């Protein structure tokens, strides 16, 4: 950890040299998850030429390796530098609701750099922020990611403990951040629908919580103006009283995620085998 902290203190301009090397290694030598990435892109964008698909693939690798060195930097980055690099737009729709005593559910897909999003929010805001995360099996990386995410006071809840923690704190106003595009486990109740031209399973935890507890649901739209800089723009998906129709919140989340992907295709996590399982 001491060595990682020393590396983390290097300027991002220096760390990006290392990212360039990782990019060459991942894209051109190891071809990390190349088949998964290309299959996902071809299925998601049947209207695009092979040249366009290859361009998105290369840009994805660039964003992927940049996110690795950026995340290492987040171990020691100052609040000032973080706020210069990450812009949070329309965040008042979250603040106003939490300060009025409401529970807000933030649903975010896996766009780079989601670690920058979480860290910047907790560094900039004076409201309680909680996030649900999947524990990493390797102890060193689990400790590293915990230190990074917890630096500015984010309350971390491991996925298997979420239900128990939520019941205990259900009356506490706060923002709960959920990665709502995760593939559900076999034990989860699944909702299947079309997503990027493919039948896809979604876990509807955010919708169930929002409708049962009259919580607001907010989406974070991701853009990357230039290397090392991100903008997250918030918009309301649903507010109480919610549309009573089944899947209304999840459907809107999927629509906004698709819109974000089409605007910034190389920022999405295409290396994840999101569509491995097929509907029975």
């Amino acid at each position: 950890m001491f060595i990682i902290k020393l590396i983390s203190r290097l300027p991002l301009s220096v760390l990006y040299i290392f990212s360039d090397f990782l990019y060459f290694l991942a894209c051109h030598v190891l071809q990390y998850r190349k088949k998964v990435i290309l299959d996902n892109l071809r299925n998601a964008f049947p209207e695009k030429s092979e040249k366009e698909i290859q361009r998105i693939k290369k840009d994805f690798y660039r964003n992927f390796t940049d996110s690795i060195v950026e995340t290492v930097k987040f171990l020691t980055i100052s609040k000032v530098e973080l706020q210069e690099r990450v812009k949070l737009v329309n965040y008042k729709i979250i603040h106003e609701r939490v300060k009025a005593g409401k529970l807000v559910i933030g649903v975010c897909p896996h766009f780079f750099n989601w670690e920058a999003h979480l860290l910047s929010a907790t560094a900039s805001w004076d409201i309680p922020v909680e996030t649900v995360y999947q524990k990493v099996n390797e102890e060193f990386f689990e400790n590293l990611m915990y230190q990074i995410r917890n630096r500015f006071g984010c309350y971390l809840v491991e996925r298997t403990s979420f239900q128990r923690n939520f019941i205990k704190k259900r009356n506490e106003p706060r923002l709960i951040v959920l990665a709502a595009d995760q593939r559900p486990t076999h034990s989860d109740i699944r909702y299947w629908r079309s997503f990027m031209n493919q039948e896809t399973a979604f876990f509807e935890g955010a919708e169930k919580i929002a409708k049962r507890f009259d919580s607001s649901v907010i989406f974070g739209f991701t853009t990357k103006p230039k290397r090392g800089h991100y903008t997250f723009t918030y918009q309301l998906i649903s507010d109480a009283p919610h549309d009573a129709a089944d899947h209304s919140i999840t459907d809107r989340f999927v629509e906004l995620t698709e819109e974000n992907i089409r605007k910034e295709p190389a920022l999405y996590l295409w290396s994840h085998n999101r569509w491995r399982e097929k509907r029975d």
Side-chain angles (χ1 to χ4, degrees):
M1 190 66 72
F2 176 72
I3 294 174
I4 296 294
K5 284 186 176 179
L6 284 180
I7 296 172
S8 175
R9 294 189 181 280
L10 294 171
L12 264 174
S13 57
V14 175
L15 291 176
Y16 282 139
I17 297 173
F18 183 60
S19 175
D20 292 341
F21 171 73
L22 288 179
Y23 162 77
F24 178 78
L25 202 63
C27 185
H28 300 291
V29 180
L30 300 177
Q31 298 187 331
Y32 172 74
R33 294 198 174 185
K34 176 184 176 181
K35 185 178 186 309
V36 171
I37 295 166
L38 286 176
D39 285 350
N40 285 343
L41 287 172
R42 287 165 181 156
N43 290 332
F45 300 106
E47 74 283 1
K48 291 189 181 296
S49 67
E50 187 60 24
K51 183 178 180 181
E52 290 174 304
I53 294 294
Q54 293 293 334
R55 180 71 264 166
I56 296 171
K57 182 201 75 171
K58 290 180 179 179
D59 290 344
F60 162 79
Y61 277 120
R62 177 71 68 188
N63 289 321
F64 178 70
T65 58
D66 276 1
S67 75
I68 292 173
V69 301
E70 287 165 359
T71 301
V72 171
K73 180 63 183 176
F74 294 156
L75 188 61
T76 59
I77 195 169
S78 68
K79 283 187 179 183
V80 172
E81 182 177 1
L82 187 63
Q83 289 164 352
E84 287 175 349
R85 293 182 173 277
V86 181
K87 302 302 179 187
L88 307 175
V89 180
N90 200 29
Y91 63 87
K92 289 184 179 179
I93 65 171
I94 298 174
H95 279 216
E96 289 169 354
R97 287 166 171 79
V98 173
K99 290 186 175 181
K102 294 183 179 181
L103 176 69
V104 176
I105 310 296
V107 286
C108 298
H110 279 88
F111 286 95
F112 298 119
N113 186 332
W114 60 84
E115 299 294 349
H117 190 179
L118 181 65
L119 199 65
S120 182
T122 53
S124 305
W125 299 345
D126 60 349
I127 59 170
V129 178
E130 177 181 305
T131 190
V132 181
Y133 76 102
Q134 184 74 41
K135 190 173 183 179
V136 180
N137 291 329
E138 212 290 318
E139 185 177 358
F140 173 80
F141 289 106
E142 168 66 13
N143 291 336
L144 175 63
M145 294 311 301
Y146 192 93
Q147 284 190 43
I148 290 170
R149 292 166 177 166
N150 186 243
R151 272 195 70 202
F152 299 119
C154 183
Y155 184 75
L156 303 177
V157 180
E158 208 277 318
R159 189 177 186 273
T160 57
S161 304
F162 174 66
Q163 187 172 0
R164 183 173 64 253
N165 178 78
F166 182 81
I167 291 171
K168 181 181 177 182
K169 300 174 61 180
R170 62 186 178 275
N171 294 321
E172 294 184 19
R174 63 198 189 280
L175 169 67
I176 299 179
V177 180
L178 300 175
D181 63 336
Q182 288 276 32
R183 186 177 65 235
T185 65
H186 286 289
S187 61
D188 293 325
I189 298 173
R190 302 172 174 202
Y191 166 48
W192 288 87
R193 60 151 287 157
S194 177
F195 171 52
M196 297 306 297
N197 300 304
Q198 299 161 87
E199 280 289 291
T200 310
F202 286 90
F203 176 62
E204 294 194 286
E207 177 154 348
K208 290 175 182 177
I209 292 170
K211 289 184 174 179
R212 182 173 178 182
F213 296 95
D214 291 333
S215 307
S216 304
V217 183
I218 306 291
F219 182 87
F221 198 97
T222 306
T223 55
K224 185 178 182 179
K226 60 181 179 179
R227 195 177 199 182
H229 294 260
Y230 300 89
T231 300
F232 302 98
T233 304
Y234 303 107
Q235 58 189 101
L236 183 67
I237 286 184
S238 185
D239 221 346
H242 299 287
D243 183 340
D246 291 341
H247 320 301
S248 59
I249 293 174
T250 306
D251 283 340
R252 184 58 182 148
F253 165 76
V254 174
E255 290 167 4
L256 288 170
T257 301
E258 287 189 331
E259 182 183 332
N260 203 158
I261 288 173
R262 295 188 188 283
K263 182 175 176 61
E264 297 272 3
L267 287 183
Y268 194 63
L269 187 62
W270 297 109
S271 58
H272 177 45
N273 203 348
R274 181 68 173 88
W275 292 280
R276 180 178 61 192
E277 297 180 62
K278 304 301 180 184
R279 189 174 188 174
D280 293 336

